[in-house]
Coordinates of all heavy atoms in Angstrom, one line a residue:
M16 N 31.2 20.2 -124.2 CA 32.3 19.9 -123.3 C 31.7 19.2 -122.1 O 30.6 19.4 -121.6 CB 33.0 21.2 -122.8 CG 34.1 20.9 -121.8 SD 35.3 22.2 -121.6 CE 36.5 21.7 -122.8
S17 N 32.5 18.3 -121.5 CA 32.1 17.5 -120.3 C 32.0 18.4 -119.1 O 32.9 19.3 -118.9 CB 33.0 16.4 -120.1 OG 33.1 15.6 -121.2
P18 N 31.1 18.1 -118.2 CA 31.1 18.8 -116.9 C 32.4 18.6 -116.2 O 33.0 17.5 -116.3 CB 29.9 18.2 -116.2 CG 29.1 17.5 -117.2 CD 30.0 17.1 -118.3
A19 N 32.8 19.6 -115.5 CA 34.1 19.5 -114.7 C 34.0 18.3 -113.8 O 33.0 18.1 -113.1 CB 34.3 20.8 -113.9
G20 N 35.0 17.5 -113.8 CA 35.0 16.3 -112.9 C 34.3 15.1 -113.3 O 34.3 14.1 -112.7
A21 N 33.6 15.2 -114.5 CA 32.9 14.1 -115.0 C 33.8 13.0 -115.5 O 34.9 13.3 -116.0 CB 32.0 14.5 -116.2
D22 N 33.5 11.7 -115.2 CA 34.3 10.6 -115.6 C 33.5 9.7 -116.5 O 32.5 9.1 -116.1 CB 34.7 9.9 -114.3 CG 35.7 8.7 -114.6 OD1 36.0 8.5 -115.8 OD2 36.0 8.0 -113.7
Y23 N 33.9 9.6 -117.7 CA 33.2 8.7 -118.7 C 34.1 7.5 -119.0 O 34.7 7.4 -120.1 CB 32.9 9.5 -119.9 CG 32.0 10.7 -119.6 CD1 32.5 12.0 -119.5 CD2 30.6 10.5 -119.4 CE1 31.7 13.0 -119.2 CE2 29.8 11.5 -119.1 CZ 30.3 12.8 -119.0 OH 29.5 13.8 -118.6
T24 N 34.2 6.7 -118.0 CA 35.1 5.5 -118.1 C 34.3 4.2 -117.9 O 33.4 4.2 -117.0 CB 36.2 5.6 -117.0 OG1 36.9 6.8 -117.1 CG2 37.2 4.4 -117.2
L25 N 34.6 3.3 -118.7 CA 33.9 1.9 -118.6 C 35.0 1.0 -118.2 O 36.1 0.9 -118.9 CB 33.4 1.5 -120.0 CG 32.6 0.2 -120.0 CD1 31.4 0.3 -119.1 CD2 32.1 0.0 -121.5
H26 N 34.8 0.3 -117.0 CA 35.8 -0.6 -116.5 C 35.3 -2.0 -116.5 O 34.1 -2.2 -116.3 CB 36.1 -0.3 -115.0 CG 36.8 1.0 -114.8 ND1 36.1 2.2 -114.5 CD2 38.1 1.4 -114.8 CE1 37.0 3.2 -114.4 NE2 38.2 2.7 -114.5
L27 N 36.1 -3.0 -116.8 CA 35.7 -4.4 -116.7 C 36.7 -5.1 -115.7 O 37.9 -5.1 -115.9 CB 35.8 -5.1 -118.1 CG 35.6 -6.6 -118.0 CD1 34.2 -6.9 -117.6 CD2 35.9 -7.2 -119.4
Y28 N 36.1 -5.6 -114.6 CA 36.9 -6.3 -113.6 C 36.5 -7.7 -113.6 O 35.3 -8.1 -113.8 CB 36.6 -5.7 -112.2 CG 37.2 -4.4 -112.0 CD1 36.5 -3.2 -112.3 CD2 38.5 -4.2 -111.5 CE1 37.1 -2.0 -112.1 CE2 39.1 -3.0 -111.2 CZ 38.4 -1.9 -111.6 OH 38.9 -0.6 -111.3
R29 N 37.4 -8.6 -113.4 CA 37.2 -10.0 -113.2 C 38.0 -10.5 -112.0 O 39.2 -10.3 -111.9 CB 37.6 -10.8 -114.4 CG 37.3 -12.3 -114.2 CD 37.5 -13.1 -115.4 NE 36.4 -12.9 -116.3 CZ 36.4 -13.0 -117.6 NH1 37.5 -13.2 -118.2 NH2 35.3 -12.8 -118.4
D30 N 37.3 -11.1 -111.0 CA 37.9 -11.6 -109.8 C 38.7 -10.4 -109.1 O 39.8 -10.7 -108.6 CB 38.8 -12.8 -110.1 CG 38.1 -14.0 -110.6 OD1 36.9 -14.2 -110.2 OD2 38.6 -14.7 -111.5
G31 N 38.1 -9.2 -109.2 CA 38.8 -8.1 -108.5 C 39.9 -7.5 -109.2 O 40.5 -6.6 -108.7
R32 N 40.2 -8.0 -110.4 CA 41.3 -7.4 -111.2 C 40.8 -6.7 -112.4 O 39.9 -7.3 -113.1 CB 42.3 -8.6 -111.6 CG 42.9 -9.3 -110.3 CD 43.8 -10.3 -110.7 NE 45.1 -9.6 -111.0 CZ 46.2 -10.2 -111.4 NH1 46.2 -11.5 -111.6 NH2 47.2 -9.5 -111.7
L33 N 41.4 -5.6 -112.8 CA 41.0 -4.9 -114.0 C 41.5 -5.6 -115.2 O 42.6 -6.0 -115.4 CB 41.7 -3.5 -114.0 CG 41.4 -2.6 -115.1 CD1 39.9 -2.2 -115.1 CD2 42.2 -1.3 -115.1
V34 N 40.5 -5.9 -116.1 CA 40.7 -6.6 -117.3 C 41.0 -5.6 -118.4 O 41.9 -5.7 -119.2 CB 39.5 -7.5 -117.7 CG1 39.7 -8.1 -119.1 CG2 39.3 -8.6 -116.7
T35 N 40.1 -4.6 -118.5 CA 40.2 -3.5 -119.5 C 39.4 -2.3 -119.0 O 38.5 -2.4 -118.2 CB 39.7 -4.0 -120.9 OG1 40.2 -3.0 -121.9 CG2 38.2 -4.2 -120.9
A36 N 39.8 -1.2 -119.6 CA 39.1 0.1 -119.3 C 39.1 1.0 -120.5 O 40.0 0.9 -121.3 CB 39.7 0.8 -118.1
H37 N 38.1 1.8 -120.6 CA 38.0 2.7 -121.8 C 37.5 4.0 -121.3 O 36.5 4.1 -120.5 CB 37.1 2.2 -122.8 CG 37.0 3.1 -124.0 ND1 38.0 3.1 -125.0 CD2 36.1 4.0 -124.4 CE1 37.7 4.0 -125.9 NE2 36.6 4.6 -125.5
V38 N 38.1 5.1 -121.7 CA 37.8 6.5 -121.3 C 37.4 7.2 -122.6 O 38.1 7.2 -123.6 CB 38.9 7.2 -120.7 CG1 38.5 8.6 -120.3 CG2 39.4 6.5 -119.4
W39 N 36.2 7.9 -122.6 CA 35.8 8.7 -123.7 C 36.2 10.2 -123.4 O 36.1 10.7 -122.3 CB 34.3 8.7 -123.9 CG 33.8 7.5 -124.6 CD1 33.7 7.3 -125.9 CD2 33.4 6.3 -123.9 NE1 33.2 6.1 -126.1 CE2 33.0 5.4 -125.0 CE3 33.2 5.9 -122.6 CZ2 32.5 4.2 -124.7 CZ3 32.8 4.6 -122.4 CH2 32.4 3.8 -123.4
W40 N 36.8 10.8 -124.3 CA 37.3 12.2 -124.2 C 36.5 13.0 -125.3 O 36.2 12.5 -126.3 CB 38.8 12.3 -124.5 CG 39.6 11.5 -123.5 CD1 40.1 10.2 -123.7 CD2 40.0 11.8 -122.2 NE1 40.7 9.8 -122.7 CE2 40.7 10.7 -121.7 CE3 39.8 12.9 -121.4 CZ2 41.3 10.7 -120.4 CZ3 40.3 12.9 -120.1 CH2 41.1 11.9 -119.7
V41 N 36.3 14.3 -125.0 CA 35.7 15.2 -126.0 C 36.7 15.5 -127.1 O 36.4 15.6 -128.3 CB 35.3 16.5 -125.3 CG1 34.8 17.5 -126.3 CG2 34.2 16.2 -124.3
D42 N 38.0 15.5 -126.8 CA 39.1 15.9 -127.7 C 39.3 14.7 -128.6 O 39.8 13.6 -128.2 CB 40.3 16.3 -127.0 CG 41.4 16.7 -127.9 OD1 41.3 16.6 -129.1 OD2 42.4 17.2 -127.3
P43 N 39.1 14.8 -130.0 CA 39.4 13.7 -130.9 C 40.8 13.2 -130.9 O 41.1 12.1 -131.4 CB 38.9 14.2 -132.2 CG 38.6 15.7 -132.1 CD 38.6 16.0 -130.6
T44 N 41.8 14.0 -130.5 CA 43.2 13.6 -130.5 C 43.4 12.5 -129.4 O 44.4 11.8 -129.5 CB 44.1 14.7 -130.2 OG1 43.9 15.3 -128.9 CG2 44.0 15.8 -131.2
E45 N 42.4 12.3 -128.5 CA 42.5 11.2 -127.5 C 41.9 9.9 -128.0 O 41.8 9.0 -127.2 CB 41.8 11.7 -126.2 CG 42.4 12.9 -125.6 CD 43.8 12.7 -125.0 OE1 44.2 11.5 -124.7 OE2 44.6 13.7 -125.0
L46 N 41.4 9.9 -129.2 CA 40.8 8.7 -129.8 C 41.7 7.5 -129.8 O 42.9 7.6 -130.2 CB 40.4 9.0 -131.2 CG 39.6 8.0 -132.0 CD1 38.2 7.9 -131.4 CD2 39.5 8.4 -133.5
P47 N 41.2 6.4 -129.3 CA 42.1 5.2 -129.3 C 42.3 4.7 -130.8 O 41.4 4.9 -131.6 CB 41.3 4.1 -128.5 CG 39.9 4.5 -128.7 CD 39.9 6.1 -128.8
T48 N 43.3 4.0 -131.0 CA 43.5 3.4 -132.3 C 42.4 2.3 -132.5 O 41.8 1.8 -131.6 CB 44.9 2.7 -132.5 OG1 44.9 1.6 -131.6 CG2 46.0 3.7 -132.2
Q49 N 42.3 1.9 -133.8 CA 41.3 0.9 -134.1 C 41.7 -0.4 -133.3 O 40.8 -1.1 -132.8 CB 41.3 0.6 -135.6 CG 40.3 -0.5 -136.0 CD 38.9 0.0 -135.9 OE1 38.6 1.2 -135.9 NE2 38.0 -1.0 -135.8
E50 N 42.9 -0.7 -133.3 CA 43.4 -1.9 -132.6 C 43.1 -1.9 -131.1 O 42.6 -2.8 -130.5 CB 44.9 -2.2 -132.8 CG 45.4 -3.4 -132.2 CD 46.9 -3.7 -132.4 OE1 47.3 -3.4 -133.5 OE2 47.5 -4.1 -131.5
E51 N 43.4 -0.7 -130.5 CA 43.1 -0.6 -129.0 C 41.6 -0.7 -128.8 O 41.2 -1.4 -127.8 CB 43.6 0.8 -128.5 CG 45.1 1.0 -128.5 CD 45.5 2.4 -128.3 OE1 44.7 3.3 -128.6 OE2 46.6 2.6 -127.7
A52 N 40.8 -0.1 -129.6 CA 39.3 -0.1 -129.4 C 38.8 -1.6 -129.6 O 38.0 -2.1 -128.8 CB 38.6 0.8 -130.3
A53 N 39.4 -2.3 -130.6 CA 38.9 -3.6 -130.9 C 39.3 -4.6 -129.7 O 38.5 -5.5 -129.4 CB 39.5 -4.1 -132.2
Q54 N 40.5 -4.4 -129.1 CA 40.9 -5.2 -128.0 C 40.0 -5.0 -126.8 O 39.6 -6.0 -126.2 CB 42.3 -4.9 -127.6 CG 43.4 -5.4 -128.6 CD 44.8 -4.9 -128.3 OE1 45.0 -4.0 -127.4 NE2 45.8 -5.5 -129.0
R55 N 39.7 -3.8 -126.5 CA 38.8 -3.5 -125.4 C 37.4 -4.0 -125.7 O 36.8 -4.6 -124.8 CB 38.7 -2.0 -125.2 CG 40.0 -1.4 -124.7 CD 40.0 0.1 -124.7 NE 41.4 0.6 -124.6 CZ 41.7 1.9 -124.8 NH1 40.8 2.8 -125.1 NH2 42.9 2.3 -124.6
A56 N 36.9 -3.8 -126.9 CA 35.6 -4.3 -127.3 C 35.5 -5.8 -127.2 O 34.5 -6.3 -126.8 CB 35.2 -3.8 -128.6
T57 N 36.5 -6.5 -127.6 CA 36.5 -7.9 -127.6 C 36.4 -8.4 -126.2 O 35.6 -9.4 -125.9 CB 37.8 -8.5 -128.3 OG1 37.8 -8.0 -129.7 CG2 37.9 -10.0 -128.2
A58 N 37.1 -7.8 -125.3 CA 37.1 -8.3 -123.9 C 35.7 -8.0 -123.3 O 35.1 -8.9 -122.6 CB 38.1 -7.5 -123.1
L59 N 35.1 -6.8 -123.5 CA 33.8 -6.5 -123.0 C 32.7 -7.4 -123.7 O 31.9 -7.9 -123.0 CB 33.5 -5.0 -123.3 CG 34.3 -4.0 -122.5 CD1 34.3 -2.6 -123.1 CD2 33.8 -4.0 -121.0
A60 N 32.8 -7.6 -125.0 CA 31.8 -8.4 -125.7 C 31.8 -9.8 -125.2 O 30.8 -10.4 -125.0 CB 32.1 -8.3 -127.2
A61 N 33.0 -10.4 -124.9 CA 33.1 -11.8 -124.5 C 32.4 -12.0 -123.2 O 31.7 -13.0 -123.0 CB 34.5 -12.2 -124.4
V62 N 32.5 -11.1 -122.3 CA 31.9 -11.2 -120.9 C 30.4 -11.1 -121.0 O 29.7 -11.7 -120.2 CB 32.5 -10.1 -120.0 CG1 31.7 -10.0 -118.7 CG2 33.9 -10.4 -119.7
H63 N 29.9 -10.3 -122.0 CA 28.5 -10.1 -122.1 C 27.8 -11.0 -123.2 O 26.7 -10.8 -123.6 CB 28.2 -8.6 -122.4 CG 28.5 -7.8 -121.2 ND1 27.7 -7.7 -120.1 CD2 29.6 -7.1 -120.9 CE1 28.3 -6.9 -119.2 NE2 29.5 -6.5 -119.7
G64 N 28.6 -12.0 -123.7 CA 28.0 -13.0 -124.6 C 27.8 -12.5 -126.0 O 27.0 -13.1 -126.8
M65 N 28.4 -11.4 -126.4 CA 28.3 -10.9 -127.7 C 29.3 -11.7 -128.6 O 30.4 -11.9 -128.3 CB 28.7 -9.4 -127.8 CG 27.7 -8.5 -127.0 SD 28.4 -6.8 -127.0 CE 28.4 -6.4 -128.7
T66 N 28.8 -12.0 -129.8 CA 29.7 -12.7 -130.8 C 30.4 -11.8 -131.7 O 31.4 -12.1 -132.4 CB 28.9 -13.7 -131.6 OG1 27.8 -13.1 -132.2 CG2 28.3 -14.8 -130.6
D67 N 29.9 -10.6 -131.9 CA 30.4 -9.6 -132.8 C 30.8 -8.3 -132.1 O 29.9 -7.6 -131.6 CB 29.4 -9.3 -133.9 CG 30.0 -8.4 -135.0 OD1 31.2 -8.0 -134.9 OD2 29.3 -8.0 -135.9
H68 N 32.1 -8.1 -131.9 CA 32.5 -6.9 -131.1 C 32.6 -5.6 -132.0 O 32.7 -4.5 -131.4 CB 33.9 -7.2 -130.6 CG 35.0 -7.2 -131.6 ND1 35.3 -8.3 -132.4 CD2 35.8 -6.2 -132.1 CE1 36.2 -8.0 -133.2 NE2 36.6 -6.7 -133.1
R69 N 32.4 -5.7 -133.3 CA 32.5 -4.6 -134.1 C 31.6 -3.4 -133.8 O 32.1 -2.2 -133.8 CB 32.4 -5.0 -135.6 CG 33.6 -5.8 -136.0 CD 33.4 -6.4 -137.4 NE 32.2 -7.2 -137.5 CZ 31.7 -7.7 -138.5 NH1 32.3 -7.5 -139.7 NH2 30.6 -8.5 -138.5
P70 N 30.3 -3.6 -133.5 CA 29.5 -2.4 -133.2 C 30.0 -1.7 -131.9 O 30.0 -0.5 -131.9 CB 28.1 -3.0 -132.9 CG 28.1 -4.3 -133.7 CD 29.5 -4.8 -133.7
L71 N 30.5 -2.5 -131.0 CA 31.0 -1.9 -129.7 C 32.4 -1.2 -130.0 O 32.6 -0.1 -129.5 CB 31.2 -3.0 -128.7 CG 31.7 -2.5 -127.3 CD1 30.7 -1.4 -126.7 CD2 31.8 -3.6 -126.3
T72 N 33.2 -1.7 -130.9 CA 34.4 -1.1 -131.3 C 34.1 0.3 -131.9 O 34.8 1.3 -131.5 CB 35.2 -1.9 -132.3 OG1 35.5 -3.2 -131.8 CG2 36.5 -1.2 -132.8
A73 N 33.1 0.4 -132.7 CA 32.8 1.7 -133.3 C 32.3 2.7 -132.2 O 32.7 3.9 -132.2 CB 31.6 1.5 -134.3
V74 N 31.6 2.2 -131.2 CA 31.2 3.1 -130.1 C 32.4 3.6 -129.3 O 32.5 4.7 -128.9 CB 30.2 2.4 -129.2 CG1 29.9 3.1 -127.9 CG2 28.9 2.1 -129.9
L75 N 33.4 2.7 -129.1 CA 34.5 3.0 -128.3 C 35.4 4.0 -129.0 O 36.2 4.7 -128.4 CB 35.4 1.8 -128.0 CG 34.7 0.7 -127.1 CD1 35.6 -0.4 -126.8 CD2 34.1 1.3 -125.8
R76 N 35.3 4.1 -130.3 CA 36.0 5.1 -131.1 C 35.3 6.4 -131.3 O 35.7 7.3 -132.0 CB 36.5 4.5 -132.4 CG 37.6 3.5 -132.2 CD 38.2 3.0 -133.5 NE 38.5 4.1 -134.5 CZ 39.6 4.7 -134.6 NH1 40.6 4.4 -133.9 NH2 39.8 5.6 -135.6
G77 N 34.1 6.6 -130.7 CA 33.3 7.8 -130.8 C 33.9 9.0 -130.2 O 34.6 8.9 -129.2
T78 N 33.7 10.1 -130.8 CA 34.2 11.4 -130.3 C 33.0 12.3 -130.2 O 32.0 12.1 -130.8 CB 35.2 12.0 -131.2 OG1 34.7 12.3 -132.5 CG2 36.5 11.2 -131.4
G79 N 33.2 13.3 -129.4 CA 32.1 14.3 -129.2 C 31.6 14.3 -127.8 O 32.2 14.7 -126.9
D80 N 30.4 13.7 -127.6 CA 29.7 13.7 -126.4 C 30.0 12.4 -125.6 O 29.4 11.3 -125.9 CB 28.2 13.8 -126.6 CG 27.4 13.8 -125.3 OD1 28.0 13.7 -124.2 OD2 26.2 14.0 -125.4
P81 N 30.9 12.4 -124.7 CA 31.3 11.2 -124.0 C 30.1 10.5 -123.3 O 30.0 9.2 -123.3 CB 32.3 11.6 -122.9 CG 32.9 12.9 -123.5 CD 31.7 13.5 -124.2
R82 N 29.2 11.2 -122.7 CA 28.1 10.6 -122.0 C 27.2 9.8 -123.0 O 26.7 8.8 -122.7 CB 27.2 11.7 -121.3 CG 26.0 11.3 -120.6 CD 26.3 10.3 -119.5 NE 25.2 9.5 -119.2 CZ 25.1 8.6 -118.3 NH1 26.2 8.2 -117.6 NH2 24.0 7.9 -118.1
Q83 N 27.0 10.4 -124.2 CA 26.2 9.7 -125.2 C 26.9 8.4 -125.6 O 26.2 7.3 -125.7 CB 26.1 10.5 -126.4 CG 25.3 9.8 -127.5 CD 25.3 10.6 -128.8 OE1 25.5 11.9 -128.8 NE2 25.1 10.0 -129.9
H84 N 28.2 8.4 -125.7 CA 28.9 7.2 -126.1 C 28.9 6.1 -125.0 O 28.8 4.9 -125.3 CB 30.4 7.5 -126.5 CG 30.4 8.4 -127.7 ND1 29.8 8.1 -128.9 CD2 31.0 9.6 -127.9 CE1 30.0 9.1 -129.8 NE2 30.8 10.0 -129.2
L85 N 28.9 6.6 -123.8 CA 28.8 5.6 -122.6 C 27.4 5.0 -122.7 O 27.3 3.7 -122.5 CB 29.1 6.3 -121.3 CG 29.0 5.5 -120.1 CD1 30.1 4.4 -120.1 CD2 29.2 6.4 -118.8
D86 N 26.4 5.7 -122.9 CA 25.1 5.2 -123.0 C 25.0 4.2 -124.2 O 24.4 3.1 -124.1 CB 24.0 6.3 -123.3 CG 23.8 7.1 -122.0 OD1 24.2 6.7 -120.9 OD2 23.2 8.3 -122.2
E87 N 25.6 4.5 -125.3 CA 25.7 3.7 -126.5 C 26.4 2.4 -126.2 O 25.9 1.3 -126.7 CB 26.3 4.4 -127.7 CG 25.5 5.5 -128.2 CD 26.3 6.4 -129.2 OE1 27.5 6.2 -129.4 OE2 25.7 7.2 -129.9
A88 N 27.4 2.4 -125.4 CA 28.2 1.2 -125.0 C 27.3 0.3 -124.2 O 27.3 -0.9 -124.4 CB 29.5 1.6 -124.3
F89 N 26.6 0.9 -123.2 CA 25.7 0.1 -122.4 C 24.6 -0.6 -123.2 O 24.3 -1.7 -123.0 CB 25.0 1.0 -121.3 CG 25.9 1.3 -120.1 CD1 27.2 1.2 -120.1 CD2 25.3 1.6 -118.9 CE1 28.0 1.4 -119.0 CE2 26.0 1.8 -117.8 CZ 27.4 1.7 -117.8
S90 N 24.1 0.2 -124.2 CA 23.1 -0.4 -125.0 C 23.6 -1.5 -125.9 O 23.0 -2.6 -126.0 CB 22.5 0.7 -125.9 OG 21.5 0.2 -126.8
A91 N 24.8 -1.3 -126.5 CA 25.4 -2.4 -127.3 C 25.7 -3.6 -126.5 O 25.7 -4.7 -127.0 CB 26.7 -1.8 -127.9
L92 N 26.0 -3.5 -125.2 CA 26.3 -4.6 -124.3 C 25.0 -5.2 -123.8 O 25.1 -6.2 -123.1 CB 27.2 -4.2 -123.2 CG 28.6 -3.8 -123.6 CD1 29.3 -3.1 -122.4 CD2 29.4 -5.1 -124.0
G93 N 23.9 -4.6 -124.1 CA 22.6 -5.1 -123.5 C 22.4 -4.8 -122.1 O 21.6 -5.5 -121.4
L94 N 23.0 -3.7 -121.6 CA 22.9 -3.3 -120.2 C 21.8 -2.2 -120.1 O 21.6 -1.4 -121.0 CB 24.2 -2.8 -119.6 CG 25.4 -3.8 -119.7 CD1 26.7 -3.2 -119.3 CD2 25.0 -5.0 -118.7
P95 N 21.2 -2.2 -118.9 CA 20.1 -1.1 -118.7 C 20.8 0.2 -118.6 O 21.9 0.4 -118.2 CB 19.4 -1.6 -117.5 CG 20.3 -2.5 -116.8 CD 21.2 -3.1 -117.8

């Protein structure tokens, strides 16, 4: 379970405006649809120069340990 008050959200802003956001939840019923995850992954991948959003889409659909999935998303995007 996530620590109380923990926020596992990835936000993408462009020119001060929110483009997309993704939240990881421990509860698998909160899992985004494949289409929702693909749309978010496509937006994030484009900004970071990725040509294939599919690995990131899989990460965005991860359940279980939100902190781990956030780390996986950073890695997939080539972020430290």
Side-chain angles (χ1 to χ4, degrees):
M16 177 159 269
S17 301
D22 183 2
Y23 299 102
T24 307
L25 185 60
H26 295 93
L27 173 63
Y28 287 90
R29 179 173 284 149
D30 298 325
R32 300 183 77 182
L33 181 65
V34 174
T35 193
H37 182 78
V38 178
W39 283 272
W40 302 96
V41 174
D42 184 351
T44 63
E45 300 291 335
L46 184 71
T48 66
Q49 181 70 25
E50 183 178 320
E51 291 169 332
Q54 289 172 348
R55 295 170 191 167
T57 299
L59 290 162
V62 168
H63 292 281
M65 296 174 60
T66 56
D67 186 3
H68 71 277
R69 291 175 298 174
L71 184 57
T72 299
V74 170
L75 297 182
R76 288 188 43 95
T78 61
D80 182 359
R82 177 62 200 177
Q83 176 186 341
H84 298 306
L85 183 60
D86 289 343
E87 291 169 350
F89 278 24
S90 179
L92 291 167
L94 300 172

